[in-house]
Amino acid sequence: MTSSAKAPALAAWPTPVDVLEHAVRTKGAFSTFHRLLTADAPIARTPKRLVWTLNKARLFRYAPCAPPEKRRKTPLLLVFAIMNRPYVLDLRPGHSFVEYMLRHGHDVYLLDWGVPGPEDKDLAFDDYALDYLPRAIRKLQRIAGASEFNMLGWCLGALISTLYAAMRPEEGLKNLILLTAPLDFSDKSAGGFARWTSHPAFDPDKLTALFGNVPGEMIDAGAKMLKPVENFVGAYANLWDNIEDERRTEAWHAMNTWVRNVIPMSGAAYKQLINDFYKQNKLIEGTLTLYGEPVKLENLRANLFNVVAETDHITPPCQSAGIMDKVGSSDKELFRVRGGHIGIMAGRDAEKNTWPHLEQWLAARSD
Amino acid sequence: MSSPEARPNPLDPLGLMKGLRDAGLEQWSKAMTDFVHSEAYARANGEFLEAWVGAAAPVREAMQAAIVRALAEWNLPSRDDVTRLAERLTRIEMRLDDLDAKLDAGSAPRTPAHKPGAKR
């Protein structure tokens, strides 16, 4: 309101007209503020078709938009985390990673793990990586008519993708992109989660015995407590400061719509994440087994592009970078991007700082 | 709402407080972030969770047992019954998925890695 052209011209004692005008604009600002906090923004609008389902999991294929001669043959599968909705990859028209990749001719598929119900409390990473994901990939390969495929995993989706790539190296995975992948928990002081969960008093078994699945609100609160002032105060103060900037408020609204849509996490996967990964670092120690089979990172031979966010407070860079010497890929690159855990892909600079690098790396390595 | 270039607007008390707020917010943020990343917070967090779960679990168990008894009296399925049914449906869905893959391929499908000992 004071940012308007009128504000600097205000006299020390405002006139009744100024007061009235200010009151009207303040009312409008409050109304916008309330709408942004309570209503949902239109997100995930890129046209797509449901091509496969299993339990709550769904596989979507996005409608291509590039001319036929520019389309690439190798399909790209996007795998997001299991405790958030995957639509952050297709946040809003004009600012969507999915849209960007489609424009560059990629055949894009999205795996949505769905919302686990009480009957899914025993779903573990074994199931996600070696049962659900291979089935979705099998369907994708049939639809695309391609034996090879590319995969992009983000956050816990990157962990699942890594497990799959190490366990099933012969199933056609050509290029693997990992985004902010939590894989190496050697440093227990790196990041709040590692510190909190590695404390002996933190017992995920008791928590899941009580709830079955871990409530989404609890996971969301935990993530926000990593930067409490920014998340509980700063975000809203910044929104108020920019309430009359439509471009900024709509971007904030889309992100807030995604953030508010919290979902529970399967109890078994949560226990495994805390006990096997955070506390015991089994993947890096080479002691992790899925369905009784050992997971050997040296069997991960797909081309690897490992993206870390330099100011990531959820997955600190060291938790992702640690696998570079462990994997068997001959073509591998660690790529650092300025930004946070979500910001590197969904922030306003993503289209400039992250997406082109992912696309170019992939384009150079796929048909 | 406020911009730093603008002259303070006496009608916008929130704008007048902005400078003060911004100065304090950064320090507050740093202090809080340091605190939640400390060993003391990690211990307190774990102990609080332990105490809370310890207190809530017996109450929840007792409630669930009572509900299960009541549902049985009324010949209604309990949550566990519905859960077991849903699990069976998922197993059937997986068999159908394998059949679908066979039809797609016109031959035996590649193993979808459903291993012995798999829960589903």
Side-chain angles (χ1 to χ4, degrees):
Chain A
M1 300 212 305
T2 48
S3 61
S4 72
K6 282 219 159 191
L10 277 175
W13 296 101
T15 65
V17 176
D18 290 332
V19 174
L20 189 63
E21 190 183 75
H22 188 85
V24 170
R25 294 180 66 193
T26 304
K27 182 176 176 294
F30 273 113
S31 165
T32 305
F33 196 73
H34 181 259
R35 176 180 66 82
L36 296 176
L37 290 181
T38 53
D40 283 345
I43 59 171
R45 290 302 165 104
T46 306
K48 59 185 181 295
R49 188 166 60 90
L50 180 66
V51 294
W52 174 87
T53 65
L54 179 64
N55 192 6
K56 314 298 182 321
R58 296 182 297 170
L59 180 67
F60 293 99
R61 184 186 196 183
Y62 286 93
C65 66
E69 68 276 9
K70 286 191 177 172
R71 288 184 200 162
R72 297 182 176 279
K73 289 180 192 155
T74 313
L76 169 64
L77 175 62
L78 307 178
V79 182
F80 193 59
I82 50 177
M83 73 295 192
N84 285 110
R85 307 300 284 146
Y87 305 118
V88 67
L89 287 155
D90 179 28
L91 199 56
R92 60 194 165 92
H95 189 73
S96 152
F97 176 68
V98 167
E99 205 180 81
Y100 182 87
M101 295 305 272
L102 289 172
R103 275 206 310 272
H104 284 82
H106 293 273
D107 184 10
V108 183
Y109 293 75
L110 175 76
L111 179 58
D112 178 357
W113 298 110
V115 182
E119 67 277 15
D120 300 313
K121 66 179 169 41
D122 294 325
L123 281 180
F125 283 100
D126 311 47
D127 306 294
Y128 288 120
L130 299 183
D131 217 349
Y132 282 66
L133 184 55
R135 286 171 186 275
I137 288 167
R138 180 173 68 183
K139 190 68 182 178
L140 171 151
Q141 287 170 319
R142 298 266 186 251
I143 294 169
S147 57
E148 290 189 324
F149 67 99
N150 301 322
M151 186 156 61
L152 179 150
W154 188 2
C155 187
L156 286 187
L159 172 58
I160 294 169
S161 303
T162 303
L163 297 175
Y164 168 84
M167 298 290 280
R168 299 289 179 264
E170 74 290 350
E171 289 188 356
L173 176 61
K174 191 172 185 185
N175 301 300
L176 176 63
I177 296 175
L178 301 178
L179 299 173
T180 64
L183 304 167
D184 179 1
F185 302 95
S186 317
D187 185 353
K188 303 293 182 207
S189 64
F193 280 151
R195 199 182 275 275
W196 300 348
T197 57
S198 60
H199 198 278
F202 190 91
D203 187 349
D205 297 63
K206 287 181 182 168
L207 193 68
T208 52
L210 179 65
F211 286 116
N213 293 326
V214 180
E217 291 77 9
M218 187 177 274
I219 295 169
D220 182 51
K224 285 181 174 163
M225 276 306 288
L226 290 169
K227 281 191 168 182
V229 177
E230 280 91 336
N231 289 317
F232 293 115
V233 182
Y236 303 102
N238 284 336
L239 174 64
W240 181 256
D241 287 346
N242 296 293
I243 200 74
E244 291 181 337
D245 182 338
E246 196 176 337
R247 193 177 58 85
R248 279 198 182 193
T249 52
E250 292 315 313
W252 192 96
H253 193 200
M255 182 58 80
N256 191 53
T257 300
W258 175 75
V259 168
R260 282 196 306 136
N261 194 357
V262 295
I263 58 172
M265 181 173 174
S266 143
Y270 182 80
K271 273 195 290 190
Q272 206 174 9
L273 180 67
I274 305 301
N275 290 332
D276 291 357
F277 293 94
Y278 272 96
K279 283 182 190 271
Q280 297 178 54
N281 199 23
K282 283 187 174 179
L283 178 63
I284 296 299
E285 297 292 329
T287 54
L288 182 70
T289 58
L290 298 182
Y291 287 157
E293 281 183 75
V295 184
K296 294 179 177 161
L297 282 173
E298 61 265 30
N299 288 342
L300 193 166
R301 293 190 291 271
N303 302 325
L304 176 65
F305 195 58
N306 190 4
V307 181
V308 300
E310 285 183 337
T311 53
D312 193 340
H313 59 289
I314 293 175
T315 306
C318 64
Q319 289 182 0
S320 306
I323 66 152
M324 295 308 284
D325 296 333
K326 305 268 183 186
V327 297
S329 312
S330 52
D331 178 354
K332 56 188 171 184
E333 184 179 343
L334 182 69
F335 185 69
R336 293 178 184 273
V337 185
R338 275 184 65 187
H341 191 72
I342 298 298
I344 60 160
M345 283 296 280
R348 62 174 179 264
D349 292 332
E351 195 160 354
K352 190 173 64 188
N353 294 342
T354 314
W355 301 351
H357 296 285
L358 303 185
E359 200 286 319
Q360 284 159 19
W361 183 86
L362 207 54
R365 290 164 179 78
S366 52
D367 302 325
Chain B
M1 291 287 283
S2 322
S3 86
E5 307 81 46
R7 198 168 113 189
N9 180 353
L11 296 174
D12 183 8
L14 292 174
L16 291 173
M17 288 190 292
K18 185 176 181 299
L20 195 65
R21 184 203 74 192
D22 286 348
L25 211 57
E26 199 177 321
Q27 284 184 322
W28 185 27
S29 169
K30 190 180 177 315
M32 281 301 289
T33 303
D34 287 347
F35 170 63
V36 298
H37 285 75
S38 68
E39 188 62 25
Y41 181 84
R43 188 177 60 248
N45 185 52
E47 285 169 358
F48 169 75
L49 206 64
E50 175 101 6
W52 176 55
V53 169
V59 178
R60 196 176 166 99
E61 278 166 21
M63 271 177 61
Q64 278 178 346
I67 290 169
V68 167
R69 275 198 302 275
L71 289 170
E73 284 294 319
W74 298 333
N75 288 324
L76 289 172
S78 67
R79 170 180 279 215
D80 282 348
D81 295 330
V82 176
T83 298
R84 276 194 294 274
L85 189 63
E87 285 171 351
R88 291 180 69 179
L89 283 173
T90 302
R91 280 196 288 273
I92 292 169
E93 217 182 330
M94 286 189 165
R95 302 288 290 272
L96 287 173
D97 187 57
D98 287 339
L99 286 173
D100 184 48
K102 273 188 184 174
L103 289 173
D104 274 351
S107 60
R110 290 187 307 111
T111 308
H114 194 78
K115 295 288 164 191
K119 288 190 216 73
R120 303 258 159 138

